[in-house]
Amino acid sequence: MNILVPIKQVPETSNVKMDPSTGTMIRDGVESIVNPLDLYAIETANQLKERHGGKVTVLTMGPPSAHKALREAIAMGCDDAVLLTDRAFAGADTWATAYVLARAIERIGGYDLILCGERATDGDTGQVGPNIAAALNIPLATYVSGIESVDTGRGEMSVWRMTEHGYEQLLLPLPALLTVVKEISFPRLPTLRGKQRARASEIPAWGAGDLGAEADKIGLKGSPTRVVKIESPKVTRGGTVVKAADGPEQAVDQLVAFLRGRDLV
Amino acid sequence: MKHTGVWALAETHGGKLRDVSFELLARGRALADQLGCELVSVVMAEPMPQEELQELIARGADRVLAVEGEALGDFIAETHSNVLCGLIGERRPEVVLAAATFNGRTLLPHAAMRLHAGLTADCTGLAIDPDTRDLIQTRPAIGGNILATIKSPNHRPQMATVRPKSTRPLPRDAARTGEVERVAFRPQWLDGRVRKIGERADQQDEANIQETDVVVAGGRGMKKAEHFAMLRELAGHLHGVVGASRDAVDRGWAVYPRQVGLSGKTVTPKLYVAVGISGAIQHLAGMKTADVIMAINADEDAPIFQVADFGIVGDLFEVLPLLNDRLAQEGNP
């Protein structure tokens, strides 16, 4: 079972510090990491490979330094990696990103399954996975929380997908694309041997020319959307804080009065 | 042919319209009025009774475009995308909105890719630039630390998914008139590759933390799973649903669909109650846009108090039972 995992390098947002005086994000010293939600896709791919054979290839579009994210995936057990990097890719929105990833996936070929994280923790869109499935015209299941069965002989798999009401089970012919949620697996840590392999791996870098990408479909030019403004909303609300130690009943009274004042009880 | 009209995709479950459909019509109504065009509610579902479709008119639509077929009873991304892309190609709307639900966030990126249309995810604000007719879309990103404003100046239709509960439905107006247009499902729209073969309900209860007015969430301070019973009681008094922090989910005290935060769900309720949750940035990212935030925590320096409208510093095992008793006495209906 050959599996492709498109991943993204993101800033380490869970430790983002805000400057209280300006309300802006402190970017100094913010490290780049593999999108935490992609780790579940990587882990799931590695588990499927262990059960059904084949190999796992990770790919990412980004600056040349994004090879670090790919090496981290190799250290977790992935076999191969491809870096998609070109100045012409810069400024891509989800559409133009998915276009490049889909072209690269066509060039790699021979895959049974594509696994994506639910979304990236920086852009938070969750669009690139469904975008890629549409570009390749392969079956799609999003928000997959579990794999029920894989039948490599028949070339199909059955998965559970989250909905507002619980879960639904879908049967998909392969090749297919899944976006997976955290519930699906527990990512393993990189091993020492994996790290050694990651350091030694040759990672090919493909540009627009290698992919035969059309110039009006990549980078800023190929992106229908434009970010026109970025604001930093103020986080602090400066509400009332009372101490239960000064009298728990009074604290609860004040709270209930507050809720009533807001029409919440 | 120029693009005209605002489309709002309705969502159904079990043959019934979901409330997000009405929220979306409130958004669409404001945009259609600014653009001076028709607001169309698009329904793709199994055949629906006329009065159910008429409800969409009462909630703000000028026209209901109902594509009905047994094949649309289950959400299959490819088939729904075929219908949507087909209709957009024929009728050329200027704006297409869907709710940022599991299905909306699957269908719209699928269709937008095929149409080479701009799509903005999970918007919390929508407006129209009167000069260019561009849709001005506002959305939080980077864990809610920034608000980005996005437009698609050269591509039509302009597509967006809208965060559930980020607006209120319009009051029902039975006097509103509009046309219900039924379109038969065409065989060429069917993509038979993916099939739904089963389902199971969320084991805790049917309610969903993204579509409720009140979320009562517990964190590490709850100490064990059994203590979540106090939160369920409080949620009962407040007509809310129980949520949890990542810590609580990782410890198995609540299931993942209840997780609020960067690696869980983003919620925008009228009231968010954080109990025993310190308020790490990863958690704040998922709830800080709630209308009212209330916090109970033992540590007075916990960051949750920075975003709280009302906070109690104290032992939750003392405060929660008192609060539950108080609300029980209130006889809150």
Side-chain angles (χ1 to χ4, degrees):
Chain A
M1 186 166 209
N2 290 328
I3 305 172
L4 305 181
V5 186
I7 64 173
K8 185 178 186 187
Q9 195 177 41
V10 300
E12 155 83 278
T13 37
S14 60
N15 289 332
V16 160
K17 299 271 190 299
M18 302 299 284
D19 182 334
S21 57
T22 59
T24 56
M25 195 166 92
I26 301 168
R27 286 173 181 274
D28 295 344
V30 176
E31 262 189 77
S32 286
I33 54 168
V34 175
N35 168 34
L37 298 176
D38 289 343
L39 299 179
Y40 304 99
I42 292 170
E43 177 61 31
T44 306
N46 285 330
Q47 288 179 10
L48 287 170
K49 173 185 73 176
E50 284 159 8
R51 214 166 302 146
H52 303 283
K55 66 175 188 174
V56 176
T57 304
V58 279
L59 60 160
T60 193
M61 185 184 93
S65 60
H67 74 88
K68 288 192 198 119
L70 297 171
R71 288 187 201 280
E72 205 175 316
I74 293 172
M76 285 178 67
C78 299
D79 301 279
D80 291 332
V82 178
L83 174 63
L84 309 169
T85 192
D86 194 315
R87 282 180 178 280
F89 296 158
D93 70 359
T94 55
W95 197 98
T97 301
Y99 172 78
V100 166
L101 288 167
R103 289 289 80 77
I105 287 166
E106 282 176 338
R107 180 169 174 192
I108 295 167
Y111 58 90
D112 302 294
L113 186 64
I114 302 171
L115 291 177
C116 300
E118 177 191 338
R119 57 189 154 84
T121 54
D122 56 351
D124 259 346
T125 74
Q127 290 179 177
V128 171
N131 284 161
I132 294 171
L136 297 171
N137 189 24
I138 59 171
L140 166 69
T142 51
Y143 304 100
V144 171
S145 61
I147 292 172
E148 180 70 28
S149 63
V150 179
D151 187 334
T152 48
R154 292 173 64 95
E156 64 184 28
M157 69 192 298
S158 144
V159 303
W160 288 97
R161 162 181 193 262
M162 287 173 80
T163 70
E164 276 78 13
H165 315 281
Y167 302 86
E168 63 187 16
Q169 193 180 7
L170 298 176
L171 184 67
L172 302 96
L174 302 177
L177 185 146
L178 312 180
T179 75
V180 303
V181 297
K182 173 185 162 168
E183 215 175 346
I184 197 167
S185 59
F186 191 81
R188 71 193 80 180
L189 294 170
T191 60
L192 189 61
R193 222 178 61 183
K195 282 181 182 166
Q196 287 165 345
R197 243 177 42 75
R199 266 196 301 275
S201 290
E202 290 278 331
I203 297 181
W206 297 348
D210 301 304
L211 300 177
E214 295 170 48
D216 60 349
K217 291 185 175 166
I218 59 174
L220 192 62
K221 197 171 173 224
S223 300
T225 62
R226 290 282 179 277
V227 177
V228 292
K229 194 166 69 173
I230 297 279
E231 294 163 276
S232 300
K234 284 265 183 279
V235 186
T236 306
R237 296 196 182 197
T240 311
V241 177
V242 299
K243 291 186 178 168
D246 302 337
E249 283 87 2
Q250 287 95 312
V252 167
D253 284 346
Q254 278 178 271
L255 170 57
V256 173
F258 169 83
L259 291 174
R260 198 179 292 122
R262 300 288 185 107
D263 253 351
L264 292 163
V265 288
Chain B
M1 192 175 101
K2 96 186 200 346
H3 289 258
T4 181
V6 173
W7 286 12
L9 307 193
E11 274 200 35
T12 63
H13 178 68
K16 287 257 179 243
L17 291 165
R18 303 185 62 231
D19 284 346
V20 286
S21 312
F22 305 135
E23 293 169 23
L24 212 54
L25 285 174
R27 294 280 192 182
R29 188 68 265 162
L31 301 176
D33 289 344
Q34 283 178 69
L35 288 166
C37 69
E38 197 177 51
L39 172 62
V40 181
S41 180
V42 179
V43 183
M44 294 177 270
E46 56 214 310
M48 305 264 292
Q50 182 74 15
E51 59 272 20
E52 194 77 0
L53 298 176
Q54 205 66 42
E55 185 67 17
L56 294 162
I57 306 273
R59 296 296 192 143
D62 297 312
R63 172 190 297 273
V64 175
L65 188 56
V67 184
E68 295 172 311
E70 295 303 330
L72 295 170
D74 296 327
F75 175 75
I76 301 296
E78 294 77 19
T79 298
H80 279 74
S81 174
N82 284 344
V83 175
L84 184 60
C85 290
L87 293 175
I88 288 173
E90 287 167 19
R91 299 177 185 235
R92 300 168 74 88
E94 198 167 5
V95 172
V96 177
L97 307 177
T101 54
F102 290 105
N103 292 353
R105 292 186 76 162
T106 302
L107 174 59
L108 256 61
H110 198 280
M113 192 71 200
R114 296 167 64 184
L115 299 163
H116 202 173
L119 169 61
T120 304
D122 204 22
C123 296
T124 52
L126 294 173
I128 296 292
D129 178 332
D131 299 325
T132 59
R133 298 175 74 85
D134 287 342
L135 181 64
I136 310 296
Q137 304 154 106
T138 313
R139 68 181 301 265
I142 317 196
N145 287 301
I146 62 159
L147 260 186
T149 303
I150 295 170
K151 35 185 208 179
S152 304
N154 305 312
H155 291 73
R156 295 291 184 272
Q158 307 165 89
M159 302 175 81
T161 58
V162 182
R163 183 179 289 191
K165 290 284 168 192
S166 65
T167 193
R168 312 256 175 270
L170 296 172
R172 189 169 190 286
D173 179 359
R176 279 187 55 83
T177 55
E179 189 191 342
V180 175
E181 180 185 349
R182 290 175 189 261
V183 176
F185 181 78
R186 300 175 202 160
Q188 72 266 28
W189 283 336
L190 180 69
D191 186 320
R193 290 178 294 178
V194 180
R195 278 188 298 133
K196 180 178 157 186
I197 55 173
E199 63 188 349
R200 65 171 193 263
D202 177 348
Q203 283 166 358
Q204 296 198 341
D205 59 65
E206 288 285 323
N208 164 331
I209 58 170
Q210 285 175 307
E211 294 182 17
T212 174
D213 285 334
V214 178
V215 175
V216 178
R220 193 164 50 193
M222 295 303 296
K223 296 212 167 79
K224 46 168 119 161
E226 296 82 80
H227 295 149
F228 268 64
M230 293 190 291
L231 298 181
R232 285 193 287 276
E233 186 185 344
L234 180 57
H237 293 310
L238 297 170
H239 309 290
V241 174
V242 173
S245 70
R246 183 174 70 186
D247 268 329
V249 171
D250 286 350
R251 286 170 166 75
W253 303 343
V255 295
Y256 174 62
R258 297 311 172 93
Q259 183 177 323
V260 175
L262 203 57
S263 53
K265 286 178 181 165
T266 303
V267 298
T268 317
K270 285 186 195 161
L271 173 64
Y272 187 88
V273 184
V275 185
I277 293 175
S278 65
I281 192 95
Q282 112 87 26
H283 187 77
L284 299 184
M287 43 63 77
K288 68 185 172 193
T289 51
D291 287 357
V292 175
I293 296 171
M294 204 187 99
I296 303 172
N297 202 289
D299 174 10
E300 65 179 302
D301 296 322
I304 194 74
F305 289 121
Q306 301 278 311
V307 302
D309 297 285
F310 195 98
I312 297 181
V313 178
D315 178 2
L316 70 91
F317 296 102
E318 178 180 33
V319 176
L320 262 189
L322 278 173
L323 179 58
N324 276 329
D325 287 350
R326 230 354 255 290
L327 291 173
Q329 287 161 22
E330 291 276 311
N332 192 32

